[in-house]
Amino acid sequence: MKITVKLFATFRDGREKIQFLDVEQGKTTEDVITILGIEKSEVAILLLNGRDEQFDRPLVEGDLIALFPPVGGG
């Protein structure tokens, strides 16, 4: 099944900002993070189709994941 992942801030380093992935049925948001080589502990915000979501949510065709690292500044 095809999903889209949007990466923000430092997650874009060495990666395209939009990833189009073809993953197996039953994969979760955490599986996708692992596929992208991102540590779960590095993810501060995970949105699935524009809503806050957990790491164990099974994905369906056409899902859009947005991943944000912790952001600092001032």
Side-chain angles (χ1 to χ4, degrees):
M1 72 184 158
K2 296 183 185 316
I3 62 165
T4 304
V5 182
K6 289 187 177 182
L7 302 173
F8 293 87
T10 57
F11 287 155
R12 292 180 176 177
D13 295 345
R15 301 178 185 95
E16 294 292 323
K17 65 181 178 179
I18 299 177
Q19 305 278 321
F20 300 99
L21 301 177
D22 194 1
V23 297
E24 296 174 13
Q25 191 73 27
K27 292 290 185 185
T28 64
T29 50
E30 184 172 2
D31 293 327
V32 170
I33 292 166
T34 301
I35 289 168
L36 293 172
I38 298 171
E39 294 290 327
K40 181 178 170 181
S41 61
E42 295 175 356
V43 178
I45 299 172
L46 166 71
L47 300 178
L48 181 63
N49 302 319
R51 295 183 172 192
D52 189 34
E53 191 55 71
Q54 302 298 315
F55 289 99
D56 60 351
R57 164 74 156 58
L59 299 170
V60 297
E61 179 79 26
D63 274 346
L64 171 63
I65 299 170
L67 300 173
F68 297 83
V71 179

